[in-house]
């Protein structure tokens, strides 16, 4: 049930943005057990000066291809699973789009079952919790 937001510069073409979305989804399926079809992604392109990142913070070498991936998901994954997710996203971005791992910032925000409504003004996971969450 993750909600993914991917922010890029406006120079990134639509096709490349779609590859980024697919890469995040594939990485989540491979590392943190996201079920098939659970894909909700917002792709946002920013004009020059609207996506700001220090080019060398934490020892990175960032360029104009800087990408921010924000994932909101249910609480409970181990640090090891989260690190595997980070590695897989960076690997797939580089493999599929040639975006260097130094240009990939990933932020996870965790919440609980009652923090989600998928429509109809209902908290579906409160009314019908997914397997393993009961």
């Amino acid at each position: 049930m993750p909600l993914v937001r991917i922010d890029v510069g406006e120079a990134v073409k639509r096709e490349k943005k779609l590859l980024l979305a697919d890469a995040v989804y594939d990485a989540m399926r491979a590392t943190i057990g996201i079920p098939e079809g659970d894909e909700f992604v917002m792709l946002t392109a920013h004009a020059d000066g609207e996506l700001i990142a220090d080019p060398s913070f934490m020892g990175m070498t960032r360029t104009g291809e800087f990408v921010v991936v924000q994932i909101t998901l249910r609480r409970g994954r181990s640090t090891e699973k989260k690190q595997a997710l980070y590695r897989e996203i960076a690997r797939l971005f580089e493999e599929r789009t040639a975006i260097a791992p130094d240009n990939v910032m990933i932020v996870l925000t965790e919440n609980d079952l009652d923090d989600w409504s998928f429509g109809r003004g209902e908290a579906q996971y409160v009314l019908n919790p997914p397997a393993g969450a009961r």
Side-chain angles (χ1 to χ4, degrees):
M1 74 179 113
L3 175 63
V4 177
R5 180 177 177 146
I6 301 173
D7 292 89
V8 298
E10 67 182 350
V12 177
K13 302 285 188 235
R14 180 180 187 276
E15 296 78 23
K16 196 171 201 176
K17 287 188 285 190
L18 294 175
L19 289 172
L20 294 172
D22 288 344
V24 173
Y25 175 68
D26 291 345
M28 291 188 305
R29 299 244 320 121
T31 61
I32 60 171
I34 299 305
E36 184 176 341
D38 193 354
E39 184 175 19
F40 297 90
V41 181
M42 295 175 285
L43 298 165
T44 305
H46 299 272
D48 274 347
E50 293 181 350
L51 185 59
I52 301 165
D54 184 285
S56 60
F57 185 73
M58 299 297 290
M60 302 300 136
T61 303
R62 294 184 185 89
T63 69
E65 289 200 309
F66 178 67
V67 177
V68 179
V69 178
Q70 300 173 25
I71 304 172
T72 303
L73 71 168
R74 190 166 54 93
R75 183 177 329 279
R77 272 92 178 175
S78 68
T79 298
E80 292 79 15
K81 284 192 177 274
K82 292 175 187 178
Q83 290 175 324
L85 174 63
Y86 303 149
R87 283 190 302 272
E88 187 66 359
I89 290 171
R91 184 186 75 76
L92 291 175
F93 277 17
E94 185 170 40
E95 177 182 288
R96 297 178 184 181
T97 68
I99 292 176
D102 276 12
N103 277 322
V104 182
M105 180 177 176
I106 304 165
V107 179
L108 300 183
T109 303
E110 296 179 307
N111 59 27
D112 292 310
L113 294 175
D114 59 348
D115 296 314
W116 296 86
S117 173
F118 290 91
R120 299 182 185 148
E122 300 172 350
Q124 284 82 3
Y125 285 146
V126 171
L127 301 171
N128 186 21
R134 296 182 175 124

